């Protein structure tokens, strides 16, 4: 054996004793905080804490999607300012359009004039008249939106710009989970859980080397949002899941429980039988939009829609007479074995 050969053998032996030689050992990190008027809870295995990069990504996202930030892309569009669309907006727009088409407009990001008229938690409902709803409905229709190519990038064509508004809040939280999960993957993380306000992306395993466990909360009448009783535990290593539920904001009218979701086809709060809809899909953005769509469609049409889609499942909690409720799951929903 030559000297070089001997050195190589020794180097290989050393490497086999120290398989991680030269590589920093990965560890699990947890980053938590508040964003988009809700919380985030992010766990991942990486070489270093990525909280700073996560915050930067969340702020960049907010600068596109937020309706509270007056200079965001959506706010500028809603003020009637012609603006070059950023990648976040364009990606959100494509998925929103796809889900609107799938649901014949039960999901519609142009619903804002109706949402604003009804008010947060429907606090303006006393002032609503059928005439108001009729005129506002003229401003709500995703089909009037389209994209235009220009030398500087893509622009939105919105004939009602400045009057009809766009509201991505039914899809943005889920999309933000995808964005953060991608960021973590690009930093080398293979084991991760991203939870933003109850929308979740998970991949790989937790700190104990076991599948991640997430809960679907019970739809209890809890306006404070303080109670979080678990209805079901889902155990999985790879999943994007979003929940839309009316149990945080609702009111009774004519003995009927009305949700905080608007049915764009009628202009009134959705008269659905669902207390909550949890959807698992190929992206968290898609799951989020589909969960909101199910809340509008109700259990029958919602289930029919989900069963017809590939790699998409749902867990529906249905209001029954009195205070009781029933659960319906699509054929492939990933319920844990150990429940
Ligand atoms: P949550 O996670 O709070 O249950 P959703 O994802 O269902 O929320 O989004 C609800 C929000 O979406 C509402 O507050 C409103 O701004 C908007 N919205 C209401 N109805 C619709 C609809 N039919 N299509 C799209 N967005 C809607
Ligand atoms: Mg949603």
């Amino acid at each position: 054996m030559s000297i070089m050969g001997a050195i190589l053998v020794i180097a290989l032996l050393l490497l086999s004793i120290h398989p991680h030689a030269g590589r920093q050992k990965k560890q699990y990190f947890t980053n938590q905080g508040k964003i988009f008027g809700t919380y985030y809870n992010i766990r991942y295995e990486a070489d270093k804490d990525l909280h700073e990069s996560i915050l930067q990504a969340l702020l960049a996202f907010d600068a596109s999607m937020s309706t509270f930030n007056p200079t965001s892309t959506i706010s500028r569009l809603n003020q009637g300012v012609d603006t070059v669309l950023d990648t976040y907006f364009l990606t959100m727009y494509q998925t929103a359009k796809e889900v609107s088409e799938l649901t014949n407009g039960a999901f519609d990001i142009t619903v804002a004039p109706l949402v604003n008229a009804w008010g947060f938690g429907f606090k303006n409902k006393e002032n609503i008249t059928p005439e108001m709803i009729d005129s506002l409905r003229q401003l709500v229709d995703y089909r009037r939106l389209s994209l235009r190519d220009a030398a500087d990038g893509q622009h939105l064509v919105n004939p009602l710009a400045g009057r009809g508004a766009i509201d991505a809040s039914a899809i943005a939280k889920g999309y933000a989970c995808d964005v953060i999960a991608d960021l973590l993957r690009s930093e080398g993380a293979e084991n991760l859980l991203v939870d933003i306000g109850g929308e979740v992306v998970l991949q790989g395993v937790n700190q104990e080397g076991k599948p991640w466990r997430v809960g679907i909360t019970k739809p209890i009448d809890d306006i404070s949002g303080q109670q979080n009783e678990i209805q079901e535990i889902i155990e999985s290593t790879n999943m994007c899941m979003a929940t839309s539920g009316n149990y945080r904001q609702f009111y009774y009218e004519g003995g009927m429980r009305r949700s905080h979701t608007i049915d764009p086809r009628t202009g009134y709060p959705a008269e659905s039988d669902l207390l909550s809809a949890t959807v698992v899909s190929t992206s968290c953005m898609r799951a989020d939009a589909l969960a909101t769509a199910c809340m509008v469609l109700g259990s029958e049409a919602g289930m029919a829609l989900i069963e017809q889609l590939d790699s998409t499942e749902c867990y529906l909690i249905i209001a029954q007479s009195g205070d009781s409720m029933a659960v319906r799951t699509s054929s492939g929903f990933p319920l844990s074995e150990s429940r």
Side-chain angles (χ1 to χ4, degrees), residues 67-320:
T67 46
F68 299 104
N69 173 349
T71 61
S72 74
T73 303
I74 285 191
S75 293
R76 276 178 289 140
L77 290 170
N78 288 346
Q79 291 150 19
V81 179
D82 186 27
T83 180
V84 179
L85 302 172
D86 60 72
T87 324
Y88 291 138
F89 184 91
L90 285 167
T91 309
M92 178 282 292
Y93 175 80
Q94 295 299 357
T95 302
K97 187 167 171 232
E98 180 204 335
V99 174
S100 293
E101 282 164 358
L102 274 173
T103 61
N104 281 318
F107 180 86
D108 192 329
I109 54 165
T110 69
V111 76
L114 289 165
V115 170
N116 296 336
W118 284 97
F120 187 73
F122 304 114
K123 64 176 172 8
N124 303 337
K125 71 180 165 71
E126 313 295 340
N127 311 321
I128 297 282
T129 63
E131 293 73 32
M132 267 170 78
I133 297 299
D134 273 348
S135 76
L136 290 172
R137 273 179 60 202
Q138 311 305 313
L139 305 176
V140 177
D141 186 356
Y142 68 94
R143 279 165 294 214
R144 68 161 199 259
L145 301 178
S146 59
L147 298 179
R148 173 173 59 83
D149 284 321
D152 57 354
Q154 287 191 289
H155 293 244
L156 189 71
V157 181
N158 178 3
L160 296 172
R163 287 192 292 145
I166 294 169
D167 174 359
S169 44
I171 183 169
K173 270 190 293 166
Y175 184 20
C177 291
D178 294 329
V179 167
I180 299 304
D182 280 344
L183 167 85
L184 296 174
R185 290 183 195 113
S186 75
E187 294 283 349
E190 285 163 9
N191 299 310
L192 55 96
L193 176 150
V194 181
D195 172 358
I196 304 181
E199 325 303 17
V200 202
V201 171
L202 42 90
Q203 180 183 311
V205 290
N206 65 16
Q207 196 149 10
E208 282 92 52
K210 298 203 174 114
W212 297 101
R213 284 160 66 85
V214 290
I216 296 178
T217 50
K218 254 189 190 150
I220 32 182
D221 298 353
D222 170 31
I223 293 176
S224 69
Q226 297 304 305
Q227 286 166 275
N228 266 325
E229 260 186 79
I230 299 295
Q231 158 95 15
E232 194 81 52
I233 300 277
I234 313 293
E235 229 177 51
S236 182
T237 51
N238 271 305
M239 188 175 73
C240 298
M241 180 174 103
T243 299
S244 184
N246 69 6
Y247 46 94
R248 291 276 152 73
Q249 290 156 36
F250 68 91
Y251 68 95
Y252 283 96
E253 193 179 271
M256 181 110 187
R257 207 166 128 142
R258 307 271 192 136
S259 76
H260 76 304
T261 316
I262 303 282
D263 188 336
R265 303 164 303 180
T266 63
Y268 285 83
E271 286 187 34
S272 137
D273 59 343
L274 288 179
L275 296 174
S276 89
T278 297
V279 173
V280 169
S281 194
T282 45
S283 73
C284 201
M285 167 169 57
R286 198 156 180 267
D288 195 358
L290 286 168
T292 302
C294 282
M295 290 304 293
V296 177
L297 292 170
S299 62
E300 282 302 321
M303 184 59 78
L305 166 72
I306 298 297
E307 288 287 22
Q308 145 213 324
L309 299 174
D310 285 341
S311 310
T312 302
E313 304 294 339
C314 67
Y315 182 104
L316 306 179
I317 304 183
I318 304 164
Q320 306 261 279

Side-chain angles (χ1 to χ4, degrees), residues 8-86:
L8 189 65
V9 168
I10 291 168
L12 284 174
L13 273 175
L14 280 174
L15 272 179
S16 66
I17 297 166
H18 296 288
H20 298 295
R23 199 160 56 118
Q24 224 177 328
K25 195 162 161 17
K26 283 189 175 185
Q27 64 181 98
Y28 275 80
F29 294 92
T30 299
N31 300 149
Q32 291 167 324
K34 293 213 149 92
I35 195 87
F36 316 143
T38 185
Y39 69 87
Y40 63 88
N41 174 18
I42 300 168
R43 296 163 198 267
Y44 51 92
E45 190 189 29
D47 310 321
K48 58 177 195 285
D49 189 309
L50 299 167
H51 203 177
E52 267 312 307
S53 322
I54 290 170
L55 278 173
Q56 267 174 31
L58 289 174
L59 290 177
F61 187 85
D62 193 75
S64 172
M65 293 300 164
S66 171
T67 46
F68 299 104
N69 173 349
T71 61
S72 74
T73 303
I74 285 191
S75 293
R76 276 178 289 140
L77 290 170
N78 288 346
Q79 291 150 19
V81 179
D82 186 27
T83 180
V84 179
L85 302 172
D86 60 72

